[in-house]
Amino acid sequence: MPPKPNNYMVLAILSTIFCCIATGIASIIYASKVNECYARGEYAEAEKASKNAKMWAFIGIGLSVLIWIIYVAFFGVAFLGALSNAGSY
């Protein structure tokens, strides 16, 4: 009997709450399948679900970071433009 793979449930929940809801929900679904598959003796399926849970959690985190970078860059440039024009009325 191989060791039970990590289900990444905590990472899935945190990515759902703080990052992207859609990918977080997919990650939670796969994370819950890990324990079920392992209990049934489907070790390959449990490993596959574990990898999918981790992948979807990191996709959500990556999308969140990318959106924040774009957001800060856009409004940072706008703020700097407003500062440079502030004294030239």
Side-chain angles (χ1 to χ4, degrees):
M1 182 178 223
K4 185 180 93 166
N6 191 352
N7 61 8
Y8 298 103
M9 184 63 80
V10 173
L11 182 64
I13 291 171
L14 291 176
S15 72
T16 303
I17 293 172
F18 295 114
C19 299
C20 184
I21 292 176
T23 59
I25 290 173
S27 181
I28 289 174
I29 291 170
Y30 282 115
S32 65
K33 286 183 180 182
V34 172
N35 293 340
E36 296 171 9
C37 291
Y38 186 79
R40 286 191 303 245
E42 299 171 354
Y43 306 120
E45 289 296 319
E47 187 68 34
K48 183 178 175 184
S50 174
K51 288 180 183 177
N52 283 333
K54 182 180 173 183
M55 177 189 68
W56 283 110
F58 282 131
I59 287 173
I61 292 168
L63 282 175
S64 179
V65 167
L66 180 67
I67 288 169
W68 274 104
I69 289 172
I70 292 170
Y71 179 82
V72 168
F74 180 76
F75 285 107
V77 169
F79 180 72
L80 290 177
L83 283 179
S84 67
N85 257 352
S88 60
Y89 287 106

